[in-house]
Amino acid sequence: MSSLTRAIGGLLVAALIASCGGGGSGGGGTGPLNITSTTVNDGVVGVAYNDTIDATGGTGTRTFSVTAGALPAGLTLSAAGAITGTPAGPAVTANFSVTVTDSANQPQTDTQALTIDIVEPLAVTFTAVTTTSVGAAYSQSLGVSGGTAPYTFSVSAGSLPDGLALSAGGAITGTTAASATTQTFNARVTDSSAPALIADTKLIIVVTLEITTTALPDASGGEAYSASLEAQGGRLPLDWSLIAGALPAGLVGPDPATGEISGTPDPVCAAAATALTAQVIDSDSPAQSDTQAAIALTVNPAPLDITSPTMPNGTVGMAYNAAVQVSGGMPPYNFAITNGTLPSQLTINAATGQITGTPDTIETQTFDVTVTDACPDSVTEPVSITINAVPPGRNDSIADATVLPGNGTYSASISPSGHPNTVFDPDEDYYEITTTAASTVTVDINADVNGSPLDSVIEIVGANGVQLSTCVSPAFTSPCEHDDETLGVDLDSFLEIQVGGATTFYIHVVDFGSNARPDKLYDLVISGVN
């Protein structure tokens, strides 16, 4: 083959390869050349911009260029399809066409019309009045600069004063609630750009600080007192002080943090009014303050009263010491018995109301005590004192029986149990009674009726321990033993014994329940002894 023939053959092969798209260089592929980007991102004046126009198909290297219109000022299109730069402004809608060309010997092209919106930076504006007061209707709207409408508003941090709310359209409305205080919050606006722009702005709505207390609750002399000055609005925390007037003696405050005035005012004979001037300062910058003058605080006399109509019980032969208790009035007090008498051997101290002495008689006395204070006011109340017999001790046999002086109520206790004359080994209480004449003596155990779980059993025996048989009316010929006053209902026991003259007998008490631990309490009531 001649050299001319080889040359012609080579040209034909090259042309065939080129017509099939097999040549070129760069990132091209096969198939028709096509720009696939139909939109590009919006931009913001002064904010760096970067977006890329994409294409498919074609052969070899693709080259992009603006073939109609123009990019916004500050932006350029690279041959590789990248739009970059910083929009210089002003806000504009730029319409332009981009053409892509591949590197084939017979180049393919494609053209796409595009739009870039360049907007001013997005910002919330709020030029309206930002002060309100409790109970006032509030209606203001947030504004917007930059970005692309429509806009959506929300609170992104903090909160509005109670009673107010921010709508999606940017309106702040409502009625300022009593609990509302000055609040700082972030208002956020989101626009409709692609991608969306977001802007947050810190805003403050000031709620006017006002003291709402015009008068404090009345106090009573000598009685604990606590009341607080109140305010509404402002920014918490608050700082309270008195700038005029003096608190009644015994009271302190206001507490700087809470406004509390507390203490125990001195007793008074007549109502005493005080006028105070209070000031409160909030924590805002600059701070708000409010002053309220002529805040009334009145201390009234506390009514004189005797608070111990029943005094503690006493015991025969044991020292007694208890005071008549008084509230209210104005010390010093004077105490006097104005009707009736104290129990035997007891006296009252006129200056202190202390009743002292060593009683020697089982009795209950009710008497009138009159207390006069320094105002002078007086009050009279009936007061009672009961003097009991000496409580019996442990008395487990006839030999160490407790001698009872006669009729009365005697308090006692008992531990482990057992029915008389059984194999149990009970705690046994013995009491000695002596009569001087014919008598019908009643012996009554009160335990169950007083809430004690004692299941008492009593018997009456002679000095030899033998059970007597002169019990139970009307015949008084029955054995002197008794268990339940009402079978299955009342566990207390009861006996009546008849004696013909001067005699001595013994009351024997045990617990039938076998469970008297710890000791169970009971009253032994004796009557009819002559």
Side-chain angles (χ1 to χ4, degrees):
M1 181 181 296
S2 68
S3 59
L4 177 60
T5 301
R6 287 195 299 270
I8 293 172
L11 291 174
L12 290 175
V13 171
L16 180 60
I17 292 173
S19 67
C20 293
S25 62
T30 59
L33 182 61
N34 180 48
I35 294 176
T36 57
S37 297
T38 58
T39 61
V40 288
N41 290 335
D42 296 335
V44 181
V45 173
V47 177
Y49 183 95
N50 191 337
D51 200 359
T52 301
I53 298 172
D54 293 320
T56 60
T59 299
T61 301
R62 306 185 188 105
T63 301
F64 295 84
S65 61
V66 176
T67 54
L71 290 170
L75 301 186
T76 59
L77 174 65
S78 72
I83 301 175
T84 59
T86 299
V92 67
T93 297
N95 298 306
F96 58 97
S97 295
V98 172
T99 298
V100 62
T101 304
D102 70 3
S103 58
N105 288 339
Q106 296 182 353
Q108 298 184 70
T109 64
D110 188 35
T111 299
Q112 177 68 50
L114 297 170
T115 299
I116 293 180
D117 285 327
I118 301 300
V119 298
E120 295 293 340
L122 183 64
V124 177
T125 61
F126 192 32
T127 58
V129 175
T130 59
T131 298
T132 185
S133 58
V134 169
Y138 189 90
S139 180
Q140 303 294 340
S141 293
L142 300 180
V144 181
S145 64
T148 302
Y151 306 100
T152 301
F153 293 85
S154 61
V155 175
S156 60
S159 61
L160 281 74
D162 291 348
L164 306 186
L166 171 63
S167 72
I172 300 176
T173 58
T175 299
T176 310
S179 57
T181 55
T182 298
Q183 294 292 331
T184 299
F185 61 98
N186 282 3
R188 171 171 291 180
V189 62
T190 304
D191 80 344
S192 299
S193 298
L197 299 179
I198 295 174
D200 278 26
T201 299
K202 181 179 288 187
L203 299 175
I204 299 173
I205 296 180
V206 175
V207 181
T208 302
L209 178 64
E210 299 174 284
I211 295 176
T212 58
T213 301
T214 57
L216 288 162
D218 287 358
S220 293
E223 297 182 3
Y225 179 83
S226 176
S228 294
L229 298 166
E230 302 287 346
Q232 61 189 17
R235 186 186 292 278
L236 302 177
L238 305 178
D239 183 23
W240 289 94
S241 62
L242 285 183
I243 59 175
L247 288 170
L251 297 183
V252 296
D255 182 283
T258 65
E260 181 187 26
I261 293 172
S262 60
T264 301
D266 289 354
V268 295
C269 290
T274 300
L276 308 172
T277 300
Q279 182 181 67
V280 65
I281 301 174
D282 77 352
S283 301
D284 213 348
S285 182
Q288 291 190 79
S289 66
D290 190 38
T291 300
Q292 178 68 53
I295 299 175
L297 172 55
T298 299
V299 179
N300 294 313
L304 182 63
D305 187 29
I306 294 174
T307 59
S308 54
T310 300
M311 302 290 287
N313 292 344
T315 301
V316 169
M318 299 179 66
Y320 186 88
N321 190 338
V324 177
Q325 300 297 315
V326 176
S327 67
M330 170 76 81
Y333 305 111
N334 179 267
F335 297 82
I337 306 300
T338 53
N339 185 45
T341 59
L342 289 165
S344 176
Q345 305 304 314
L346 299 187
T347 59
I348 188 168
N349 185 305
T352 65
Q354 206 78 20
I355 297 175
T356 59
T358 302
D360 60 3
T361 303
I362 299 171
E363 59 181 320
T364 296
Q365 292 289 353
T366 299
F367 46 92
D368 288 345
V369 176
T370 298
V371 179
T372 304
D373 70 359
C375 290
D377 291 325
S378 64
V379 63
T380 300
E381 292 286 347
V383 175
S384 64
I385 296 177
T386 295
I387 304 300
N388 294 318
V390 177
R394 298 298 288 263
N395 41 8
D396 294 338
S397 67
I398 291 176
D400 59 9
T402 298
V403 178
L404 301 181
N407 301 318
T409 298
Y410 305 91
S411 298
S413 64
I414 197 167
S415 56
S417 70
H419 192 283
N421 305 317
T422 68
V423 295
F424 293 108
D425 182 20
D427 173 25
E428 305 173 71
D429 288 349
Y430 282 88
Y431 301 93
E432 180 182 308
I433 297 288
T434 298
T435 63
T436 59
S439 303
T440 299
V441 179
T442 299
V443 179
D444 191 9
I445 298 290
N446 288 332
D448 189 34
V449 296
N450 294 329
S452 174
L454 176 66
D455 184 1
S456 62
V457 177
I458 55 175
E459 67 171 348
I460 297 176
V461 300
N464 57 2
V466 176
Q467 194 176 86
L468 302 180
S469 298
T470 56
C471 290
V472 185
S473 65
F476 292 103
T477 57
S478 300
C480 291
E481 181 181 317
H482 189 265
D483 186 358
D484 298 335
E485 288 197 33
T486 305
L487 186 63
V489 176
D490 187 347
L491 301 181
D492 292 334
S493 49
F494 177 88
L495 270 178
E496 288 180 299
I497 181 172
Q498 193 173 74
V499 296
T503 187
T504 297
F505 60 85
Y506 298 86
I507 302 167
H508 181 203
V509 181
V510 295
D511 170 34
F512 185 67
S514 302
N515 59 354
R517 294 281 189 190
D519 286 3
K520 296 178 181 177
L521 304 178
Y522 66 94
D523 288 338
L524 177 62
V525 183
I526 305 296
S527 61
V529 175
N530 291 326

